[in-house]
Amino acid sequence: WRKYLASGKTIRCKAGGWWRVNPVNPSGGSGKFGTIKDVDVISHRYCLLENDKLPVDVQVSLLARLPLPLVSMVDSAGKSIHAFCRLDCPDKPTFKEKATLLLQDLHNRFGFDLVNTNPSRISRLPDGWRDIKRREGSDGRQAVLYLCDYNTEAKGILV
């Protein structure tokens, strides 16, 4: 992503840009018309964390202080920050179990969304631009707020 962001490329459309949280089969999806399904995920690395209830500035502060292996945070230009938490699971059942426990805990404590337990989840694409359901005062840019140095172990940003 560092190379992509440095290239100056952007995606502009009314709904913004999207991408998959985890790598999927490059030959296409197994769903109707080639849509991506959970069975198409080839590596169960990340869980998407998202909260539409807390103000964005509170989400950033909270995510930066939680002792979680976060690898990125992207401002969705809407209600939430999209954070990728590294789970590195060997398979879908393990992913589902770990993601459910993590999201249930974050939901009970802070109101995080519970729906992100599937590994084929989509998230806001960094440096995409959106017009629909854009946060008041936002220019619509889906901006990278944090990107972990891949060569270091992510343990929390400010802990």
Side-chain angles (χ1 to χ4, degrees), residues 33-91:
F33 304 115
T35 57
I36 302 294
K37 298 171 68 172
D38 286 348
V39 296
D40 301 316
V41 172
I42 58 175
S43 184
H44 299 80
R45 297 177 190 167
Y46 309 109
C47 177
L48 174 64
L49 306 181
E50 178 179 15
N51 187 322
D52 290 342
K53 296 179 181 173
L54 296 173
V56 170
D57 58 339
V58 173
Q59 292 177 53
V60 172
S61 180
L62 178 62
L63 287 165
R65 286 171 174 78
L66 288 173
L68 295 171
L70 297 183
V71 296
S72 71
M73 286 194 297
V74 173
D75 183 343
S76 72
K79 294 179 183 178
S80 64
I81 300 301
H82 288 200
F84 284 18
C85 183
R86 190 180 240 351
L87 295 185
D88 282 331
C89 298
D91 53 39

Side-chain angles (χ1 to χ4, degrees), residues 135-147:
R135 183 173 62 249
E136 187 177 326
S138 170
D139 62 2
R141 180 171 177 244
Q142 299 166 180
V144 172
L145 302 177
Y146 170 75
L147 188 58

Side-chain angles (χ1 to χ4, degrees), residues 4 25 50 57 97 99 116 118 132 137 140-141 156 159:
Y4 173 82
N25 186 344
E50 178 179 15
D57 58 339
E97 180 182 341
N116 297 330
N118 62 312
I132 298 171
R141 180 171 177 244
V159 248

